[in-house]
Amino acid sequence: YGVYAKFQDIFATPLSFQSNRSLAGDVPVQWLGSVVQEVKKGAGGASHDISAYREVQLGDCSGKLSKRVLRSSLLPYINEYVLDSMCGGFKARGVDFCSHILRTKLRLAKALALSVAVFFVDIVNAFGNVVRSLVVPCEISDDYVAYVFGRFGFKQDIFHEFADVLRSPAAMVDAGVPIHLLDQIKPFMSSSWFTAKGVPHCMIYNQGTGAGNPLADLLFTFVMGKVLRAIQCKLVCANVCEPLPVSTCDFAPSNHTDVVYDLGASYVDDKVFTVTDKVPVVCLNKARVMASIVLDTCAAHGLPCNFKINKSNFILILRGKNAANVRKSLPREVKHLVVNVGTKAYGNI
């Protein structure tokens, strides 16, 4: 970007011309593609282990500049669409907000002598698995539904819910994004390609938002807003999601006129949900129902969850009468207690 800033007099006119053509629907093919580069995930993992790497897309700089302008046009709509529990840069809520929310809930549960179950959910290849028809509207055929469903390997029990979700209004339509902005987004979601070292030709792909794309996190957040709304609705119907108390203090009045429910917290593709109860066994049963709803709803939106050690898991803090007996009733593998959860998408896990 420094080159464009230093030589504005040279690049301003052609870039403005090309950006205007792009806004009219004539997007340069170079702006739709990228070079895929592997990046190591932190310090862990062996250098020869492919799972220790993630891919990042290196896009055309002029195309990224145009996407930044488009991103700024979408920000007002995403700021209205995100839930209060969603952190990660929007509405000045950083990743530390998730930690504050969770610590506060744990301390409240301890002060009130409540049992608490915390469910951490990790999405597999979150940006790469996004079903694009959930982001922007497009024609949905039976063949398309069957193809996308077969890609994930979920059990057939969830197929009808999966099909209904794909045919529901896209997240950006739910958020009220105007049609002219949707038309500008669609080319980037329908004609994407990439090249990679050692690959002699371009690869066309039709899923995901593309890590490294200036629009990637924004489009993923639209989808997660849709998913979390569906989860909230089901948790409320199952009497698992708890309403938050409304502040009546003069120095901290509540701005909410409707009931607000405790949906945990989330940071991009990492989610945390909590349930509490005075009775340990009831808390554990609530935790199973919560996990089943969360996992099945994520699957119905094409977001498979990661069940590896230290990925999707529970923290159980059981207090009160019979807490010790409830702990002993749980099976143990090595040093971890195991909570069995029944799901439609994965069966019993």
Side-chain angles (χ1 to χ4, degrees):
Y1 297 114
V3 174
Y4 290 94
K6 188 172 182 63
F7 300 100
Q8 293 184 36
D9 54 335
I10 298 176
F11 291 111
T13 300
L15 279 179
S16 298
F17 173 74
Q18 195 57 66
S19 294
N20 289 334
R21 288 186 61 186
S22 175
L23 293 175
D26 185 12
V27 181
V29 67
Q30 294 90 339
W31 290 10
L32 304 176
S34 60
V35 177
V36 171
Q37 177 65 47
E38 70 277 5
V39 177
K40 202 135 184 314
K41 299 177 182 177
S47 59
H48 61 272
D49 182 6
I50 192 172
S51 64
Y53 294 84
R54 70 173 78 247
E55 80 278 0
V56 173
Q57 297 183 359
L58 307 178
D60 181 274
C61 286
S62 60
K64 282 189 172 183
L65 288 172
S66 180
K67 290 173 186 175
R68 283 187 172 185
V69 175
L70 184 53
R71 177 189 176 90
S72 64
S73 300
L74 292 171
L75 279 175
Y77 300 97
I78 193 66
N79 284 331
E80 288 295 322
Y81 192 60
V82 294
L83 300 175
D84 291 338
S85 62
M86 298 174 70
C87 308
F90 300 103
K91 291 187 175 179
R93 293 195 294 258
V95 62
D96 55 331
F97 273 66
C98 286
S99 301
H100 296 328
I101 291 170
L102 184 54
R103 287 195 187 100
T104 300
K105 290 180 178 179
L106 292 177
R107 287 171 181 169
L108 283 172
K110 183 178 181 180
L112 298 173
L114 299 175
S115 294
V116 57
V118 183
F119 184 42
F120 295 91
V121 183
D122 182 67
I123 306 296
V124 176
N125 190 21
F127 280 54
N129 274 322
V130 168
V131 180
R132 294 178 175 181
S133 59
L134 296 179
V135 185
V136 294
C138 64
E139 293 184 6
I140 305 295
S141 66
D142 292 341
D143 290 341
Y144 174 79
V145 174
Y147 164 73
V148 175
F149 184 79
R151 192 173 70 200
F152 295 109
F154 297 136
K155 290 186 175 295
Q156 295 294 324
D157 294 351
I158 204 170
F159 176 76
H160 292 294
E161 183 180 353
F162 183 88
D164 290 341
V165 169
L166 254 62
R167 291 192 170 97
S168 65
M172 296 183 75
V173 174
D174 280 343
V177 177
I179 188 67
H180 71 277
L181 289 179
L182 292 175
D183 289 340
Q184 292 170 34
I185 288 288
K186 283 181 180 179
F188 299 110
M189 300 296 289
S190 60
S191 306
S192 47
W193 56 268
F194 69 87
T195 61
K197 184 178 180 180
V199 179
H201 51 270
C202 295
M203 302 292 294
I204 298 174
Y205 64 102
N206 56 11
Q207 67 185 73
T209 59
N213 182 336
L215 297 173
D217 66 317
L218 207 66
L219 301 179
F220 181 80
T221 303
F222 273 114
V223 173
M224 286 314 306
K226 181 180 178 69
V227 174
L228 290 175
R229 278 174 167 79
I231 290 174
Q232 177 178 276
C233 181
K234 292 181 180 180
L235 291 178
V236 171
C237 291
N239 293 319
V240 175
C241 195
E242 302 164 349
L244 295 173
V246 177
S247 173
T248 57
C249 299
D250 293 335
F251 61 90
S254 173
N255 294 324
H256 295 284
T257 56
D258 299 326
V259 177
V260 179
Y261 289 92
D262 179 6
L263 195 60
S266 64
Y267 174 69
V268 192
D269 59 330
D270 295 314
K271 321 295 171 193
V272 57
F273 301 88
T274 60
V275 290
T276 58
D277 201 278
K278 290 184 177 181
V279 182
V281 68
V282 174
C283 182
L284 181 59
N285 290 335
K286 281 185 176 180
R288 287 194 173 105
V289 173
M290 171 184 67
S292 176
I293 289 173
V294 170
L295 295 176
D296 279 339
T297 305
C298 286
H301 288 77
L303 296 173
C305 296
N306 192 342
F307 301 115
K308 293 181 180 178
I309 296 296
N310 296 326
K311 292 298 182 179
S312 297
N313 51 44
F314 275 107
I315 291 179
L316 293 176
I317 304 175
L318 302 178
R319 299 184 177 95
K321 189 177 180 180
N322 295 326
N325 292 333
V326 174
R327 290 191 201 95
K328 290 178 182 178
S329 69
L330 295 173
R332 180 182 292 271
E333 290 185 5
V334 193
K335 61 180 180 180
H336 300 284
L337 293 177
V338 178
V339 179
N340 295 314
V341 178
T343 67
K344 292 188 294 183
Y346 307 97
N348 291 322
I349 56 174

